[in-house]
Amino acid sequence: AHWDWMDVIVIQLSGRKRWSIAREPTIYLSNKDQKRKPTQEEVQHNIHSAKYRDVTLCPGDVLYIPRGFIHNASTVDFDDFEAGSNGGVEKWDVCPAYPSESHSNSDGNEREIMMRQLLAGRLHGPSLHVTFGIEQSCEGTIESLLHHALHSYFSTSGEEESVAIHAQSCKSQRLSQSRYDVTWKSVLHHTFAEIARRKHPCDNPSFHDTSNVTCNGSVTLRRSMPLSLLSLNEFGVDEVEGGVSNPQYAALRRTFLTALEVVASLFDIHKTAKFIASHLLQPHSEGESTFCFPGYSDRDVIHCPKKLLELSESMLSEYRNVVEKFLDYARINFDEALIRMNTHGKKMRRVDHDRQDLNLKFVGQGF
């Protein structure tokens, strides 16, 4: 059993396969760097509390598994397999063997009958399925929008190079001295990243709170952006499009404002320092960076997170002041952040398309 950091679509090609899927996620809207093996406690919780849903995929069936949901697939001899359920007998062999057993319409649609005959022919073949993953990039989340808002704030405030820790004071086991000063801008970027990945009651498998259905908190920062708002033209954002109010724009703005309130209530320099020490500086199991934000560079790496724990009271007051000034700016500059995110997204898509074209040319498939 495992869970994925991406949304998964499964298509059954032939034979049958039994899937067990948790009814609730281990981590709501998990980031890529939050991917890990589920603990025994998490697996057992779902088993003993009947939190798994068992489904059988037949040829032509499609299954969608959102990211963060524990699941497991198994191939069994369904012709002989039966399971007791509530004192009765549940037959797992649920795939229609003949077109007449399926939901063909009364008009005798020839195309539908032909298709079901084809699928019935694949019913007793080997159990084969294909899986598609829909990746959730950190570039397309509410957290990313906050990072772009932060870039915008510092570029307009003139405080982009305001220093939290001087380079000569920033030492680590790897470095006798950092090459760059640690700026408040970099500290806030890491604060947002920590909040987005912080453990939250929503992420607890035993969490049950019907009074808080939306479960706002760190999960708000992990929500994805609507694609329709990531393809804006160079004229920027307009709340009215074609004379009709854009509901996605309004909804995204509300979510952004909610995320700002989440930051206002959860920002913590000590948690930020621990996040950097335990998460950022450790290599990912797949050899990739454990964390990203737009415009991330070597200048943003904080090699001395322990120094953040040693800040004087006046520096801690400055940290709180910087956060509050950013929040005041962001609350009235949503459009600026969205335009900046869109511009960055277009640039990254061009780079990605150029890279793919180069790869195709390398194998002789370019145009």
Side-chain angles (χ1 to χ4, degrees), residues 43 94 110 146 192 214 257 289 299 313 360:
V43 174
V94 296
E110 293 183 3
L146 286 175
F192 297 166
T214 57
L257 293 175
S289 172
R299 296 182 65 93
E313 186 56 42
L360 288 172

Side-chain angles (χ1 to χ4, degrees), residues 31 33 138 140-149 189-190 192-194 196-197 220-223 225 259 291-294 341:
N31 282 306
D33 51 79
C138 65
T141 61
I142 297 297
E143 178 199 350
S144 181
L145 187 57
L146 286 175
H147 289 301
H148 282 291
H189 275 307
H190 290 90
F192 297 166
E194 183 278 319
R197 290 156 182 80
T220 304
L221 277 64
R222 300 198 294 266
R223 297 189 184 279
M225 296 275 292
F291 154 80
C292 72
F293 58 74
M341 184 174 185

Side-chain angles (χ1 to χ4, degrees), residues 38 44 113 130 136 140 185-186 193 214 232 242 259 265 280 282 292 306 310 317 333 348 355 359:
Q44 292 300 317
I113 292 177
V130 62
Q136 302 295 328
K185 178 183 177 182
S186 180
T214 57
L232 305 171
S265 62
L280 177 61
Q282 295 179 4
C292 72
K306 288 184 179 180
E310 301 171 3
S317 177
N333 285 279
M348 296 304 296
R355 177 184 59 80
N359 291 338

Side-chain angles (χ1 to χ4, degrees), residues 146 150 184 187-196 198 217-218 221 258-273 275 311 313 315-328 331:
L146 286 175
L150 189 63
W184 285 119
V187 173
L188 262 65
H189 275 307
H190 290 90
T191 293
F192 297 166
E194 183 278 319
I195 293 174
R198 188 180 301 183
S218 59
L221 277 64
T258 299
L260 293 177
E261 298 313 308
V262 170
V263 171
S265 62
L266 296 182
F267 75 91
D268 187 316
I269 193 69
H270 294 89
K271 291 184 183 297
T272 298
F275 165 77
L311 294 177
E313 186 56 42
M315 293 298 284
L316 290 175
S317 177
E318 185 172 353
Y319 169 67
R320 292 188 289 268
N321 186 46
V322 172
V323 173
E324 290 168 1
K325 286 195 294 185
F326 161 75
L327 292 173
D328 289 341
R331 290 185 182 106

Side-chain angles (χ1 to χ4, degrees), residues 2-9 21-27 29-30 63-71 134 136:
H2 70 282
W3 54 274
D4 297 298
W5 61 269
M6 62 183 76
D7 294 329
V8 173
I9 295 177
I21 308 158
R23 295 177 182 268
E24 57 187 25
T26 306
I27 296 181
L29 303 181
S30 62
L63 174 66
Y64 168 65
I65 306 175
R67 63 189 189 272
F69 283 73
I70 296 178
H71 56 273
I134 305 175
Q136 302 295 328

